[in-house]
Amino acid sequence: MEEDAELQRILELSRLEEEARVERRAQTTSENIDEEKRYTEELAMAMAMSLAQPDMTTTSTADLNSEETTPSALTSNHDGPVGQFLAERKKLEEQRLMRKRARPGYLGEESLDIGAAPAAKRRNTGLTGSSLSHDASRELSQSASTSFFWQGEIRQTANQHATPNKDIKPTFRLSELLGASMEDIKLVVLSSFCNDIPWLAGILPRRAPVILVNQPGPDGKATIVHPVHPDLPSWTMVSPFLRGGHGCMHMKFMLVFYPTRLRVIIPTANFIAYDWRDIENTVWVQDVPLRRSSTGADEPPDVTTADDFPSRLQYALRKLNFAQALARNLIENQSDSPLRDIKDLRRRWDWSAVKVQLIISVPGKFEGGREMGMSGHPALAKSLHALGALCPLTKDLQIECQASVTSLGSSIGNYSSAWLTEFLYSVEGKTLATWFSFKESHRRGGIPHPTDIKIVFPSLKTVEASVMGRQGGRSMFCREKQWNGKTFPRHLFYDSRSKRGGILMHSKMILGLFVENPNRIATGSGGRAVAEDASKQTTGGCSHNFTPSAWGNLSGTAADPILNVMNFEMGICFTLPSLGADARGSEVACWERPPQKYRAGADEPWMQDKHLNLTS
């Protein structure tokens, strides 16, 4: 009995101690959240004030005309709004740490030392044997409060205008994607067509190096800027080369490096608040673990033939001028960066669980089938081969192409019947020789518009009925001259309506479904490659709008094919099981299915140049 009483007393003391510990943690957490929220709001305001000063060079690459811009080209008064703000933040942080040290049970904490240069650290070599670095151990200990996506996940972005009773699925916020262990982030690499640097500075960890890929200026010259701003000393901004300034850097991705994993994020959203708050976008994310050994993970002999995810990602980074930006960032920050060479992506991280295919477009003129297979719709066709998701001989492929841009000032973006058929041939798995043979046979009579494509784009009525009205349609582009063109395929347009209520969508997705055709007889390939598993149906989300600028345009001959691509783009492709594919497609798609076809004479697409000038 005495032993039982003693045990009860020990358990009671343990319970009281645990309650006190939880209370102390809650108090600290609450204070940290309040401090972080205040920091975010004040930094964004200070950055906006600082960037608005007329005597300070803007961080936009639109004004950068040299091949490489040195840090001295971006100068400002360190006593300006951001400098004063960070100095004040440093004092407040020191006061907070003093209060924390005075609490019972304080076990120590590293000072933030805001504004100071990062101390030199021993390079973290990741996981070796059974040993873990201190940062890795801390990250693993936080796993209970952090969501991991080891098998990949695709969701829509959170939206403040979504109808509550329709907004029933899990969504992503950018802050949630960075995770609870944000202080453990070692490096952030991100890219989008337009970037709100003050907003990003308030979200991303303050001490982690950041490499930002941005749209180049009007001259299209490649540039590197470090630092982006004197008060963001660990930030490097890079822009790739665009010949003559034509096309755009439209890739959207984020690579977040933690001690034991790499988080790969591919959204359709730009890194601006509007895209993550007011309009709907799609995000794919997957966590990739660090290898225990890099042995056997070297670069393949010929990167132009590599089909795996990391090889294509490395190929894209090379084209983005990233290698030079990484070298510059390493020199300036002297950090223990987990990525010291582009090849490290494939060597140091284990990509075996990544089952989606990475689809990229890079600008240029590509000649020969091997080189063409790395970009545009030929790269998509190559991925469909790899996935075994080619259209069976007895079926037709029907695709729904969601777009927010149908053409952007390009004469080749008018949806010619030749380009639409070319794209359809590619995603059906037909060979280049078959396409060129078909094209040659219709040289005189012309190529009719295909009937198996649905272009999903918001109508004027849908935009007007949305929560934000016409002003919310600033991210969607279709030109009046284009729509009224004599041969424009108006009969292929379907309305784009969100399943989550009156919000407009900036997401881009292509859904491909195989449909039975009793008139087809499987007596020959018809120019199609034979699928290993014809039961798979496909879908994908990407930065690509449904335009030739994004997906490429074929010319030349079957013997000497040429692919011309204008834009940098990135997305993913994955399969759906054949059984119940239409229902699964409706589950994945963010628009209402089946989409409603435009009524001739009654419906027209949202056209900025025509409709935004009218009173909303």
Side-chain angles (χ1 to χ4, degrees), residues 211-285:
I211 300 178
L212 173 65
V213 184
N214 203 38
Q215 167 77 3
D219 57 10
K221 289 185 176 180
T223 57
I224 297 176
V225 179
H226 186 98
V228 168
H229 188 279
D231 294 311
L232 297 174
S234 62
W235 283 50
T236 302
M237 183 162 63
V238 60
S239 297
F241 173 71
L242 283 173
R243 188 174 301 280
H246 300 299
C248 65
M249 201 304 298
H250 204 243
M251 285 186 177
K252 301 171 180 68
F253 65 86
M254 179 181 282
L255 308 177
V256 188
F257 294 83
Y258 297 89
T260 63
R261 61 190 168 99
L262 163 62
R263 173 161 288 183
V264 183
I265 303 167
I266 300 181
T268 63
N270 290 289
F271 290 109
I272 58 176
Y274 178 79
D275 277 22
W276 292 84
R277 180 192 63 214
D278 297 310
I279 55 177
E280 188 169 9
N281 279 283
T282 305
V283 183
W284 173 82
V285 60

Side-chain angles (χ1 to χ4, degrees), residues 446-466:
I447 299 174
H449 276 109
T451 58
D452 292 331
I453 294 179
K454 297 178 181 179
I455 301 170
V456 184
F457 187 83
S459 67
L460 171 61
K461 290 181 180 179
T462 292
V463 172
E464 288 183 325
S466 68

Side-chain angles (χ1 to χ4, degrees), residues 361-520:
S361 290
V362 295
K365 179 180 179 181
F366 303 94
E367 301 183 48
R370 176 176 293 184
E371 188 179 20
M372 287 166 48
M374 289 298 291
S375 187
H377 67 74
L380 175 58
K382 193 174 182 180
S383 291
L384 294 176
H385 278 259
L387 291 169
L390 303 177
C391 188
L393 300 178
T394 58
K395 296 185 178 182
D396 289 331
L397 173 65
Q398 292 186 352
I399 60 174
E400 296 175 19
C401 304
Q402 185 194 30
S404 63
V405 174
T406 58
S407 175
L408 197 55
S410 172
S411 61
I412 63 171
N414 289 324
Y415 286 157
S416 69
S417 57
W419 184 78
L420 290 172
T421 306
E422 170 190 316
F423 184 89
L424 191 60
Y425 263 53
S426 195
V427 296
E428 282 181 340
K430 292 181 178 178
T431 63
L432 286 174
T434 305
W435 160 245
F436 282 108
S437 175
F438 176 84
K439 185 178 179 181
E440 180 64 27
S441 68
H442 288 75
R443 182 177 294 277
R444 291 186 178 182
I447 299 174
H449 276 109
T451 58
D452 292 331
I453 294 179
K454 297 178 181 179
I455 301 170
V456 184
F457 187 83
S459 67
L460 171 61
K461 290 181 180 179
T462 292
V463 172
E464 288 183 325
S466 68
V467 175
M468 299 183 70
R470 295 191 181 193
Q471 293 301 318
R474 293 180 178 272
S475 301
M476 292 83 188
F477 301 90
C478 178
R479 295 179 291 121
E480 183 179 14
K481 181 180 178 181
Q482 173 192 12
W483 176 254
N484 293 327
K486 184 178 179 180
T487 60
F488 192 76
R490 290 177 288 274
H491 61 289
L492 298 181
F493 272 65
Y494 291 73
D495 208 353
S496 178
R497 299 174 182 170
S498 173
K499 295 191 295 188
R500 298 163 68 196
I503 55 179
L504 297 176
M505 293 180 286
H506 184 255
S507 51
K508 298 123 180 118
M509 187 178 290
I510 296 177
L511 176 65
L513 298 172
F514 303 148
V515 180
E516 291 288 350
N517 185 343
N519 296 321
R520 284 196 183 276

Side-chain angles (χ1 to χ4, degrees), residues 27-206:
Q27 182 180 355
T28 302
T29 301
S30 176
E31 180 178 312
N32 288 342
I33 290 174
D34 292 342
E35 287 287 322
E36 193 66 27
K37 182 179 179 181
R38 191 179 299 114
Y39 172 85
T40 298
E41 294 172 349
E42 293 175 0
L43 178 58
M45 183 179 297
M47 282 291 293
M49 292 170 58
S50 178
L51 293 174
Q53 289 183 357
D55 60 339
M56 182 179 295
T57 306
T58 176
T59 57
S60 170
T61 56
D63 298 326
L64 304 176
N65 297 315
S66 60
E67 186 67 23
E68 181 174 331
T69 303
T70 61
S72 60
L74 291 179
T75 59
S76 70
N77 181 358
H78 285 266
D79 293 328
V82 178
Q84 294 174 3
F85 163 73
L86 290 178
E88 180 64 24
R89 282 292 306 179
K90 183 176 181 179
K91 292 180 181 178
L92 292 173
E93 181 65 16
E94 290 172 350
Q95 293 171 6
R96 186 184 72 83
L97 289 175
M98 289 178 64
R99 293 195 304 271
K100 190 167 184 178
R101 292 188 189 104
R103 294 191 187 119
Y106 173 71
L107 297 177
E109 178 180 346
E110 181 183 358
S111 172
L112 254 75
D113 199 16
I114 298 174
K121 297 180 182 178
R122 180 171 57 86
R123 181 181 176 186
N124 177 15
T125 58
L127 295 173
T128 55
S130 60
S131 64
L132 282 173
S133 69
H134 169 72
D135 290 332
S137 299
R138 180 169 60 181
E139 186 194 7
L140 290 178
S141 70
Q142 293 174 335
S143 61
S145 59
T146 301
S147 296
F148 296 112
F149 304 99
W150 301 114
Q151 303 303 317
E153 180 89 357
I154 187 166
R155 298 181 189 175
Q156 297 303 103
T157 51
N159 189 288
Q160 67 174 353
H161 305 296
T163 303
N165 64 354
K166 294 183 177 181
D167 195 19
I168 56 177
K169 291 184 177 181
T171 57
F172 281 134
R173 301 178 189 273
L174 185 55
S175 57
E176 294 170 345
L177 286 169
L178 293 171
S181 54
M182 193 181 298
E183 69 275 14
D184 293 327
I185 293 175
K186 298 298 184 182
L187 173 68
V188 178
V189 178
L190 68 158
S191 169
S192 76
F193 175 66
C194 51
N195 300 284
D196 184 341
I197 293 176
W199 178 71
L200 283 168
I203 295 175
L204 296 176
R206 283 167 263 171

Side-chain angles (χ1 to χ4, degrees), residues 527-561:
R528 303 185 192 191
V530 179
E532 292 181 5
D533 182 359
S535 67
K536 296 179 180 178
Q537 324 256 332
T538 60
T539 188
C542 50
S543 71
H544 303 66
N545 278 295
F546 189 53
T547 65
S549 297
W551 285 108
N553 193 40
L554 287 172
S555 61
T557 65
D560 298 299

